[in-house]
Amino acid sequence: MNSSMRSGSRATVPAHFSPKPDPAPAPKRGKSALIALGVVAGITAGAYIAGVIAFSNMCYPNTVIADTDVSLMTRSMAAGRIRSAAENYRLTVEGDGFSWTYEPESSSEIIDADAAVGRVIEANDPLAWPVRIVDALAHEPEAAQPVESQGTAEGKGGTSGGAAAAGDAGDAAASNDDIHLPDSFDREAFSAELGAALDAYNNTRTGTFDAAGAYDSEAGKFTLEKARSNQKLDKEAIERAALQAISTLAKSVTLDDGSYIPLAGGASKKDVQAAIDAANALIGTDVDLKMGGATVATLDGATFAQWMTFDESLKPTLTTEPLTQWVHELAVSKLDTVGSERTYTRADGKKITVSGGTYGWNSNEAELVKLLQDAVANKKVGEVEIPTLQQASTWTAKGERDWGAYCDIDLTEQRVRYYNAAGALAWESGCVTGNPNAGDATPTGVFMLNAKRQNEMLIGFDENKDGKPDYKSPVAYWMPFVDNAIGLHDANWQPMEYFSNPQAYTWAGSHGCINLPTDKAAELYNLIQVGDCVIVHG
């Protein structure tokens, strides 16, 4: 028996053999995932429900009501904040020289804070709060929103900015649906007060587009700025903007281009500018009208502006038809002095006013019209000498002395004086004038010496109807100034003492002529010239 095989001894296990342990049981992963999902769902549901509950009574982030940020505030908190913001509120409407201020007596007149907050929260759609939160946080609130806005203020409309322009607000504020003011707000009184201020402003403007209103005399042309200075403010649009500003607690409404009623039936600014450019192309004429070496008038764009018209399509038309009337008015008011009243002071200090007669300037209106029509057609710039039918010694303002050397016949004094061009007395004499008691008073006025002749036979009219001239009087010196009928002449048939008696003409007066001593008539004849002024006055 082998010693290695002893009874009761253990069997030898081969070195390469090792027994395998029993496998561990697999974990229950599916069950854990379900548990976790349930936890998340519960938390989400709880958060969602909490949000629904919260936003049923709370404003979303970036919510602005009446220019007041009430983000994440409850009804009562938001209402309190709005009421506080409305204290000491004042609205100013201003721009382009217009300014008006509205100040309510109390904040309750302009906003119902509880109702404003209620409208916002009622529109919250709390079931959709996650989407609304994301949308609200993605946008910053504007400087001032309409009555109530949430996040982006979508769907509410209204003016933008604390200085909302009526024109900008026009489309958005086309209705009053977005203007929320309490019943205590006296809209009728507000409209009346604002309307009165706007009416006062508009009363200074025509509200129409025409040539006269569009011409800027300082610029010497038509301008859009001058045309728009006649625009009237749009009362309805401005009132809407003002009411909307109050409902948002915005403190100002600034007027701009859109605050005005459009010119030319609603034509655009571009259309009006085009019409103005076309009109400026028609007024290139700029001429000075000269008379007697003096500039008496100017024909330029300011005058042409009165003759410009615009048709319905804003096409400008320059008609020269008013030119004839313009020339006539110029002649009557300024150019023609024949027969006009004049005032002068004689060298001895006597102040005299006289009218009537034949001396002075007389323009040729028809010829002047032709010259100016040519100037317009050629857009002439320069001077135009006024054609005349008659000229005086010098041109002055109408009513002033326009003569040089002159003969002064004073009916009251019964004296004749001749003054040279410098105004110095060169000659004088007593005289006998027409007899007023016989209906032969010498006519007064400013006349022109028509002729100088010697050794004339003065032949009177046949006023007594006897078939013969009333008189025939030979004179040595004849100087007529009223046609060839009345003039200065020698009268040797008059007693010399009559020439020194201021009353002699009342019984020994002539048929209208100025009787002089023969020697004095000779002296005057040698001084006076044809064309000189002869003034007869009382």
Side-chain angles (χ1 to χ4, degrees), residues 344-352 401 406 408-410 412-419 422-428 537-538:
Y344 68 101
T345 301
R346 208 165 57 189
D348 60 1
K350 184 173 182 178
K351 190 173 184 179
I352 299 163
R401 170 179 170 172
Y406 71 102
D408 183 282
I409 302 172
D410 193 320
T412 301
E413 297 176 359
Q414 290 290 289
R415 299 289 293 179
V416 181
R417 299 173 176 88
Y418 181 78
Y419 295 91
L425 179 64
W427 172 93
E428 71 174 313
H537 61 88

Side-chain angles (χ1 to χ4, degrees), residues 9 64 76 122 134 167 173 181 191 205 225 231 239-240 330 387 406 430 444 466 476 523 538:
S9 61
V64 174
S76 59
E122 288 168 8
V134 171
L181 292 166
S191 297
R205 297 170 172 241
E225 292 73 20
Q231 281 185 282
E239 181 179 336
R240 283 198 304 267
L330 178 66
Y406 71 102
T444 60
D466 63 356
E523 293 174 0

Side-chain angles (χ1 to χ4, degrees), residues 418 448-453 480 525 527-533:
Y418 181 78
M448 179 185 299
L449 191 69
N450 297 322
K452 288 171 53 177
R453 292 193 295 274
Y525 187 90
L527 287 173
I528 198 168
Q529 301 297 318
V530 174
D532 279 355
C533 182

Side-chain angles (χ1 to χ4, degrees), residues 27-76:
K28 299 179 180 179
R29 295 179 180 175
K31 184 177 181 180
S32 297
L34 290 173
I35 293 171
L37 184 60
V39 171
V40 172
I43 293 173
T44 301
Y48 174 75
I49 294 171
V52 171
I53 295 172
F55 289 110
S56 295
N57 193 47
M58 180 185 293
C59 299
Y60 285 114
N62 283 346
T63 297
V64 174
I65 302 176
D67 206 21
T68 303
D69 188 348
V70 292
S71 301
L72 299 177
M73 291 186 184
T74 63
R75 290 174 185 263
S76 59

Side-chain angles (χ1 to χ4, degrees), residues 1 18 21 38 48 80 82 143 161 171 183 261 278 283 314 316 369-370 404 425 442 444 459 489 502 507:
M1 175 178 211
S18 61
Y48 174 75
I82 294 170
D171 294 336
D183 293 340
I261 299 172
I283 59 171
L314 297 188
V369 168
K370 292 179 181 179
L425 179 64
T442 302
T444 60
I459 302 175
H489 62 81
W507 69 81

Side-chain angles (χ1 to χ4, degrees), residues 119 146-148 155-158 171-181 187 240 243-244 247:
R119 284 190 292 272
V147 176
E148 58 259 1
K156 298 299 177 182
D171 294 336
S175 70
N176 295 326
D177 293 341
D178 59 343
I179 298 175
H180 299 283
L181 292 166
R187 181 161 181 169
R240 283 198 304 267
L243 291 171
Q244 197 167 52
S247 69

